[in-house]
């Protein structure tokens, strides 16, 4: 829910921190954020003390980051606090701290979908000067996940975009989504595994098809655009895929882990999945015959599209030591640490040159395909109430593809629900 604090009060509190305010709100029509303090790149020089990062359950990335950062002996140390086990619980715990004015967390690990909401609340510093000096080094699409109202509100840390894994011993390399579904419908062992239960994963799967078909949910002015021929076309294809058996009907209960395990069991020919699944697949019988490609186009008239995922590092407006936070972010986004991260955990780096690094390519053969997918990826709908917008999408997509609603009524209901969500801000 939006904060009831007036922007003037937010701005005043922010100015106390550093005395340096960002420019007046700018950006596309419909995007508004208050003036806040600007994170200064020079503030990292001579910083001392401990910086606290708060985020989701650690898969090893932050254990490594804090150990390496602390071992440098610069007088700066870092610690990582797990405040949630998944994206939703992490967001809930973060909001408790932010709305309560807590200064416990200097840096928040933020999901790419949170930027608009947190920017409009004045909870973060303006990171534009931090991103500007690294702009040429970062994957260009990752910067779209931190931008709102003409300013940057975090620094990209690791990114993500979907890939299509397939059994090269069963099915041909995919060219379009329509051909994938046609091929998958010929044999149960060719079918598609995806994420289609009622949650954010279904939103991502739907948006990948919608973006490729040329559709959208919300335009730059905040107008809802999901009532379109493209939305209807995508929902028909998904519905027909489930009816024909091209999509495994069990996908209606699957998240990423369940979809991956079904594919690993030999139940399917295709798997839509995030790239971090590659190492786990390689450890199974499906590994030797699995290949990965960037997501295909919707049909022969379309262009391929993916949906950006990943996490960013954002300095809290209430941080007691923004200079130390800047120093930690500088190290976390350096080529040195980003390379260690991708080799150790297969998390997709934001440092662009690593996608062409010989060692990275040798260790992770899907990296060229991931680079292709990232370069064609788009952010999810920008909205300060994205959580409600996503729920409006996945609830209505699920109703249609599971056979509980027809396409036309599903589109109308989705449009109304997205509009209602937008009106709550």
């Amino acid at each position: 829910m939006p904060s009831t604090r007036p922007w003037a009060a937010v701005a005043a509190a922010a100015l106390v921190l550093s005395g340096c305010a960002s420019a007046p709100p700018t950006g596309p029509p419909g995007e508004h954020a208050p003036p806040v303090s600007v994170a200064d790149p020079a503030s990292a020089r001579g910083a001392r003390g401990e910086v606290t990062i708060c985020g989701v359950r650690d898969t090893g990335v932050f254990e490594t980051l804090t150990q390496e950062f602390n071992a440098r002996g610069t007088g700066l140390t870092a610690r990582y606090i797990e405040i949630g086990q998944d994206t939703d619980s992490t967001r809930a715990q973060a909001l408790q701290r932010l709305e309560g004015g807590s200064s416990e967390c200097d840096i928040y690990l933020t999901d790419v979908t949170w930027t608009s909401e947190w920017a409009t609340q004045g909870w973060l510093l303006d990171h534009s000067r931090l991103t500007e000096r690294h702009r040429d080094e970062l994957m260009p699409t990752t910067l779209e996940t931190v931008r709102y109202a003409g300013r940057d509100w975090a620094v990209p840390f690791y990114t993500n975009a979907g890939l299509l894994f397939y059994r090269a011993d069963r099915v041909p390399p995919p060219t379009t989504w329509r051909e994938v579904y046609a091929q998958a419908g010929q044999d149960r062992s060719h079918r598609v595994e995806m994420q289609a239960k009622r949650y954010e994963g279904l939103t991502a799967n739907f948006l990948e098809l919608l973006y490729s078909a040329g559709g959208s949910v919300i335009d730059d002015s905040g107008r809802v655009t999901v009532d379109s021929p493209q939305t209807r076309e995508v929902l028909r294809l998904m519905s027909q895929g489930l009816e024909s058996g091209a999509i495994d009907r069990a996908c209606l209960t699957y998240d990423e882990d369940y979809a991956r395990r079904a594919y690993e069991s030999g139940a399917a020919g295709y798997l839509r999945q995030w790239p971090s699944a590659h190492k786990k697949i390689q450890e199974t019988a499906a590994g030797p015959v699995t290949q990965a490609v960037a997501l295909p186009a919707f049909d022969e008239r379309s262009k391929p599209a993916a949906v950006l995922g990943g996490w960013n590092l954002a300095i809290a407006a209430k941080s007691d030591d923004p200079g130390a936070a800047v120093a930690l972010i500088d190290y976390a986004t350096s080529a040195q640490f980003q390379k260690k991260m991708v080799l150790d955990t297969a998390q997709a780096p934001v440092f662009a040159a690593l996608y062409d690094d010989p060692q990275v390519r040798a260790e992770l053969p899907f990296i060229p395909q991931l680079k292709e997918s990232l370069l064609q990826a788009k952010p999810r709908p920008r909205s300060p109430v994205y959580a409600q917008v996503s729920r409006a999408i996945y609830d209505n997509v699920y109703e249609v593809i599971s056979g509980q609603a027809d396409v036309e009524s599903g589109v109308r209901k989705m449009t109304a629900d997205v509009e209602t969500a937008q009106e709550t801000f």
Side-chain angles (χ1 to χ4, degrees), residues 16-52:
V16 172
L17 261 174
S18 68
C20 178
S22 62
T26 60
E31 293 188 0
H32 304 286
V36 293
S37 297
V38 179
D40 182 3
S43 65
R45 299 194 200 106
R48 293 290 185 272
E50 182 178 70
V51 57
T52 300

Side-chain angles (χ1 to χ4, degrees), residues 224 385 388 413-425:
V224 176
V385 288
Q388 294 95 307
K413 181 70 163 46
M414 188 190 308
T415 302
D417 289 350
V418 174
E419 288 174 343
T420 298
Q422 287 287 84
E423 289 167 2
T424 64
F425 177 69

Side-chain angles (χ1 to χ4, degrees), residues 330-376:
D330 284 346
Y331 182 74
T333 55
S334 67
Q336 173 189 349
F337 182 76
Q338 289 269 305
K339 183 172 181 177
K340 182 172 182 59
M341 178 182 71
V342 66
L343 291 175
D344 288 355
T345 68
Q347 293 289 1
V350 297
F351 203 88
L354 291 175
Y355 288 85
D356 299 311
D357 181 279
Q359 185 180 1
V360 173
R361 287 198 164 205
E363 289 287 329
L364 303 170
F366 65 87
I367 280 290
Q369 290 76 29
L370 175 56
K371 179 181 180 181
E372 180 184 352
S373 191
L374 285 167
L375 290 175
Q376 65 196 25

Side-chain angles (χ1 to χ4, degrees), residues 58-261:
D58 186 18
T59 58
V61 173
F62 285 93
E63 180 181 4
T64 301
L65 174 61
T66 53
Q67 286 177 352
E68 302 251 333
F69 184 75
N70 295 344
R72 300 185 312 156
T74 60
L76 266 176
T77 59
R79 64 176 179 141
Y80 187 73
I81 300 177
E82 294 181 352
I83 59 174
Q85 292 301 300
D86 55 29
T87 303
D88 289 342
S89 61
T90 300
R91 177 176 175 274
Q93 288 296 316
L95 293 189
Q96 285 186 12
R97 289 163 170 79
L98 292 162
E99 290 174 342
S102 170
S103 61
E104 176 188 20
C105 307
D106 296 293
I107 297 174
Y108 285 94
L109 180 66
T110 60
D111 184 86
V112 294
T113 66
W114 301 347
T115 300
S116 302
E117 176 190 17
W118 291 28
T120 59
Q121 302 291 356
W123 287 335
L124 305 174
L125 298 186
D126 180 338
H127 292 60
S128 300
R129 290 182 63 190
L130 302 185
T131 55
E132 185 58 38
R133 61 180 176 158
H134 296 303
R135 191 166 298 277
D136 294 339
E137 300 171 344
L138 300 174
M139 290 293 287
T141 50
T142 65
L143 289 164
E144 296 181 39
T145 70
V146 302
R147 177 145 289 247
Y148 184 78
R151 285 169 280 164
D152 294 339
W153 300 92
V155 177
F157 179 47
Y158 59 82
T159 189
N160 228 341
L163 295 174
L164 192 59
F165 296 90
Y166 69 98
R167 295 273 306 232
D169 61 332
R170 295 182 185 177
V171 295
T175 54
T176 69
W177 279 113
R178 285 197 181 278
E179 290 182 1
V180 166
Y181 281 31
Q183 176 63 228
Q186 295 177 12
D187 188 314
R188 285 180 60 84
S189 69
H190 295 181
R191 63 189 175 183
V192 179
E193 301 292 356
M194 59 180 288
Q195 300 80 42
K197 76 173 192 177
R198 291 180 190 261
Y199 84 120
E200 179 66 22
L202 179 54
T203 296
N205 279 254
F206 168 75
L207 290 175
E208 288 163 350
L209 294 168
L210 182 65
Y211 288 166
S212 179
S216 62
V217 176
I218 299 170
D219 67 15
D220 287 342
S221 67
R223 184 173 63 93
V224 176
T225 55
V226 75
D227 188 346
S228 67
Q230 292 92 340
T231 299
R232 290 168 173 79
E233 198 171 8
V234 167
L235 288 175
R236 287 191 194 99
L237 180 66
M238 295 178 74
S239 299
Q240 291 164 2
L242 279 154
E243 290 171 5
S244 70
I247 300 175
D248 184 356
R249 193 162 185 83
C251 287
L252 293 169
T253 66
Y254 284 175
D255 59 12
E256 284 84 357
D257 283 344
Y258 279 104
R260 173 180 56 79
R261 289 169 185 165

